[in-house]
């Protein structure tokens, strides 16, 4: 039998052991974590909507009107009018013909990839794609060919020497680096090589583009150029669930084929109602995106001046590169001693030797919150003199 206890111990020794904190109360920057007040810079609640009272009020009313449970899968009797209306609203929001409401982004990626690629087909996947995409590729039983991160030349030559049905899949905004995929180039290459392009815009929807329409809008791409778009609700939209948008034909195909859509209970209709409200707020509250951009800009300027190594990201995902697992944990701990919650991200979530702090911003952070983060990071600079923290410049 496998020695599970020894495996856990080995993880601890490698600085890879993962620990959960228990949060009380609503999700917002001022968190109560394990009974301790901490100012958080690590959630994906980019627009600060997760505890917005307009959403909770609409959801409470919808609970009274529609009850709580989803009761069955969509194809039995769980497909509620609220789900259906949300899908129509998502189609308008994304500019695609139609959309389908999935329970989570993880399930959307599993379902969409395994529906559109199978045995004998090839899926081309960016090396830094999210774990749910990697798992979707595995589940599909297609041949999987990872391509070097954002390397469109490499992808083009791989596509050129592969016959048969081809699916290319990429994050819109990379979740651990914060950079945006070269979508315009990808769309062109896919068209040239007759490959289907799928973009998972979990971190772009609500954050980028005019009125928060996402990475495609940000880069001026049409729905035809990106035939399959996945987005999630648990991040900028502040609710829960996910969607795939595309042509009516593609969505119809998913209803028939996507096993993570077919074989699961429909989400509570109240959640669909709240998500519709959130879509309205996302589009009307442009100030949330401009405030967010201002926070990011100031953070980048001041933190690089301190000598920390940032990554080329202009999104609310602002990794501070550290290097070793131990150093990333040490910096995270030093920040926590000053009342800040910034998690260390370690392998296998990121490549070995690229452990980092993943700082994320939310529109609900104030300038004073940012002051506190900057002060704390400034105080941590002496850590830079310990040799194992590789990338910190002169202090
Ligand atoms: C968070 C995330 C998902 C998963 O979405 P959930 O709704 O949380 O399951 C999928 N793709 C990317 C890129 C993500 O960051």
């Amino acid at each position: 039998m496998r020695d599970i206890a020894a495996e856990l111990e080995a993880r601890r020794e490698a600085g890879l052991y993962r620990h959960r904190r228990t949060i009380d109360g609503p999700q917002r920057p001022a968190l109560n974590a394990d009974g301790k007040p901490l100012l958080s810079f690590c959630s994906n609640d980019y627009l600060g909507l997760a505890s917005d009272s307009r959403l909770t009020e609409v959801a409470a009313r919808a609970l009274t009107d529609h009850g709580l449970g989803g009761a069955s899968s969509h194809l039995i009797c769980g497909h509620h009018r609220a789900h259906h209306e949300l899908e129509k609203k998502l189609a308008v929001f994304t500019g695609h013909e139609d959309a389908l409401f999935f329970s989570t982004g993880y399930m959307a990626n599993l379902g969409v990839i395994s529906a559109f690629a199978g045995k004998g087909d090839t899926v081309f996947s960016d090396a830094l794609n999210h774990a749910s995409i990697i798992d979707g590729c595995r589940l599909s039983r297609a041949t999987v060919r990872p391509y070097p991160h954002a390397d469109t030349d490499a992808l083009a030559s791989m596509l050129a020497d592969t016959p048969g049905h081809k699916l290319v899949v990429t994050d819109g905004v990379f979740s651990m680096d914060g950079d945006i995929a070269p979508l315009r180039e990808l769309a062109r290459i896919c068209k040239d090589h007759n490959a289907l392009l799928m973009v998972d815009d979990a971190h772009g929807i609500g954050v980028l583009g005019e009125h928060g329409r996402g990475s495609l809008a940000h880069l001026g791409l049409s729905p035809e150029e990106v035939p399959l778009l996945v987005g999630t609700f648990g991040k900028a939209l502040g609710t829960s669930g996910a969607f795939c948008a595309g042509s009516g034909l593609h969505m119809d195909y998913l209803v028939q084929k996507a096993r993570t859509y077919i074989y699961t209970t429909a989400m509570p209709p109240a959640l669909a109602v709240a998500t519709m409200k959130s879509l309205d707020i996302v589009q009307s509250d442009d100030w949330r995106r401009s405030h967010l951009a201002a926070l990011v800009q100031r953070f980048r300027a001041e933190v690089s001046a301190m000598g920390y190594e940032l990554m080329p990201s202009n999104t609310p995902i602002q990794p501070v590169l550290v290097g070793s697992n131990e150093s990333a944990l040490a910096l995270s701990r030093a920040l926590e001693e000053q009342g800040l919650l910034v998690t260390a991200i370690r392998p296998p979530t990121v490549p070995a030797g690229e452990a980092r702090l993943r700082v994320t911003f939310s529109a609900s952070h104030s300038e004073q919150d940012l002051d506190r983060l900057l002060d704390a990071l400034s105080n941590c600079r002496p850590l830079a003199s310990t040799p194992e923290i590789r990338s910190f410049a002169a202090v």
Side-chain angles (χ1 to χ4, degrees):
M1 240 190 10
R2 229 161 138 176
D3 191 345
I4 290 174
E7 256 183 60
L8 287 177
E9 191 44 45
R11 271 187 176 243
R12 261 194 205 94
E13 277 166 19
L16 290 173
Y17 189 77
R18 293 164 186 237
H19 156 83
R20 300 176 299 170
R21 292 168 200 276
T22 307
I23 306 300
D24 285 298
Q27 284 291 345
R28 55 180 184 211
L31 275 187
N32 181 331
D34 285 341
K36 198 164 82 178
L38 287 175
L39 180 59
S40 156
F41 283 90
C42 52
S43 101
N44 299 317
D45 180 25
Y46 300 123
L47 297 182
L49 295 176
S51 56
D52 191 287
S53 62
R54 292 169 293 180
L55 296 187
T56 52
E57 279 160 22
V58 159
R61 239 177 294 134
L63 282 174
T64 309
D65 292 348
H66 307 311
L68 175 58
S72 95
S73 67
H74 285 270
L75 295 183
I76 307 296
C77 68
H79 190 61
H80 194 275
R81 182 163 301 285
H83 300 137
H84 204 72
E85 283 174 0
L86 171 61
E87 292 178 348
K88 301 305 155 203
K89 209 174 162 77
L90 285 163
V92 174
F93 177 70
T94 60
H96 281 85
E97 213 170 271
D98 205 356
L100 202 63
F101 178 22
F102 282 83
S103 297
T104 68
Y106 193 106
M107 290 168 75
N109 281 332
L110 257 55
V112 175
I113 296 170
S114 59
F116 286 105
K119 237 187 163 88
D121 302 334
T122 311
V123 188
F124 299 83
S125 171
D126 187 288
L128 294 188
N129 274 346
H130 189 260
S132 57
I133 294 180
I134 295 170
D135 292 356
C137 291
R138 286 184 184 143
L139 190 66
S140 74
R141 291 188 285 178
T143 303
V144 184
R145 295 188 68 185
Y147 60 89
H149 176 53
D151 189 338
T152 50
D153 290 338
L155 174 63
S157 57
M158 287 161 77
L159 284 167
D161 69 25
T162 308
H165 175 64
K166 294 168 254 190
L167 174 70
V168 172
V169 52
T170 180
D171 280 18
V173 173
F174 289 88
S175 49
M176 296 300 139
D177 290 44
D179 57 326
I180 303 169
L183 295 178
R184 174 154 297 290
E185 268 295 282
L186 287 172
R188 193 183 56 75
I189 294 171
C190 286
K191 187 158 179 273
D192 288 352
H193 296 277
N194 198 23
L196 185 59
L197 176 59
M198 166 181 171
V199 173
D200 170 2
D201 206 19
H203 300 276
I205 293 288
V207 173
L208 296 176
E210 196 188 15
H211 304 311
R213 284 175 211 278
S215 302
L216 274 59
H218 177 72
L219 295 173
L221 287 155
S222 69
E224 293 71 35
E225 289 171 293
V226 180
L228 291 172
L229 170 68
V230 165
T232 68
F233 303 141
K235 288 164 181 149
L237 270 81
T239 65
S240 188
F243 69 89
C244 179
S247 70
L249 195 67
H250 280 145
M251 295 308 106
D252 187 24
Y253 191 71
L254 285 175
V255 172
Q256 314 305 317
K257 297 256 307 188
R259 294 170 64 85
T260 56
Y261 182 78
I262 300 167
Y263 298 105
T264 194
T265 301
M267 289 290 262
L271 196 66
V273 175
T275 303
M276 283 192 266
K277 178 70 180 174
S278 177
L279 273 174
D280 289 337
I281 296 173
V282 161
Q283 290 172 83
S284 60
D285 282 7
D286 283 327
W287 68 265
R288 290 177 190 271
R289 278 174 293 276
S290 33
H291 175 57
L292 199 47
L295 292 171
V296 166
Q297 221 172 15
R298 195 179 140 215
F299 171 82
R300 286 188 67 82
E302 300 198 19
V303 168
S304 27
M306 287 176 202
Y308 286 97
E309 185 177 339
L310 294 176
M311 297 184 75
S313 159
N314 287 309
T315 66
I317 302 169
Q318 290 294 326
V320 178
L321 257 184
V322 178
S324 79
N325 301 337
E326 294 72 25
S327 309
L329 287 174
L331 188 55
S332 173
R333 245 180 260 123
L335 291 174
E336 188 169 336
E337 277 160 21
Q338 300 175 75
L340 293 161
L341 181 59
V342 187
T343 40
I345 307 282
R346 291 158 284 164
T349 310
V350 293
E354 291 185 25
R356 64 197 65 175
L357 292 188
R358 180 175 180 268
V359 177
T360 54
F361 289 96
S362 164
S364 51
H365 282 126
S366 63
E367 291 288 344
Q368 291 71 36
D369 291 337
L370 177 54
D371 290 340
R372 276 190 60 192
L373 175 63
L374 293 171
D375 284 347
L377 279 170
S378 174
N379 294 336
C380 287
R381 275 189 293 182
L383 275 175
S385 55
T386 60
E388 75 269 24
I389 295 191
R390 131 180 107 73
S391 47
F392 291 52
V395 175

